[in-house]
Amino acid sequence: MTASLTEGQSDPTVQPVPASVVERVDAADTTLHNPERAVLSLGSNLGNRLETLQGAVDALEDTPGVRVKAVSPVYETEPWGVEPDSQPAYFNAVVVLRTTLPPSSLLERAHAVEEAFHRVRDEHWGPRTIDVDIVAYADLVSDDPELTLPHPRAHERAFVLAPWHDVEPDAQLPGVGPVAGLLAAVPREGVAPRADLELQLPD
């Protein structure tokens, strides 16, 4: 005979989400009032590339008014716009955020993260310890020279589109079109997923 559960007992076959986890998620969401979604692209081809990308993700999460919602797989990418074998390969990833920061402040924070990892801007298309680009912010389309949105070259870069598509298969590049369609239209040579590497979503 199977004993029935007495009042106050829980069914051991049911594994609910711990209350502490629910509270933490709810608290994270309620700290942001009317947040917008933003997509950032990260790249590094100097030093410890994976450690630098993880540091950038963590720094973004530590920003007041920013919550990291998703981190893509890592891709290894041949450098863009330079002679073959003239620079080390990049590690690239995409981060999806919810933020109450306006685009200009988010750009300032992106630059601050670059500076924290000693990004040097001496050479166009030059190697860098970290590159943090705002790919899209909400549905905003802007030709502001300080921050063009969406990123003016995102639609032709597989190293942005591929990791973004991994975390948001139905994403749209504002004013341009579905990320899936854009990815299908660009060459993916020199852009390879690194299944052996992983970035951690901040706690």
Side-chain angles (χ1 to χ4, degrees), residues 36-54:
E36 298 286 2
R37 177 179 149 282
V39 179
L40 274 62
S41 173
L42 308 178
S44 173
N45 77 331
L46 291 178
N48 188 324
R49 296 167 292 173
L50 186 67
E51 184 176 285
T52 299
L53 291 185
Q54 184 65 61

Side-chain angles (χ1 to χ4, degrees), residues 108-174:
E108 289 176 4
R109 181 56 177 162
H111 287 166
V113 171
E114 291 178 340
E115 289 170 9
F117 287 94
H118 310 294
R119 160 75 188 269
V120 177
R121 297 175 180 273
D122 291 341
E123 178 186 350
H124 191 53
W125 305 122
R128 67 277 316 257
T129 52
I130 187 69
D131 193 18
V132 183
D133 286 332
I134 301 176
V135 176
Y137 183 99
D139 294 324
L140 191 59
V141 176
S142 169
D143 59 2
D144 185 337
E146 293 297 319
L147 177 58
T148 303
L149 290 170
H151 191 286
R153 290 176 294 278
H155 67 282
E156 59 190 28
R157 291 178 167 178
F159 65 82
V160 173
L161 298 171
W164 186 6
H165 182 262
D166 285 342
V167 290
E168 291 192 318
D170 298 325
Q172 299 270 338
L173 187 64

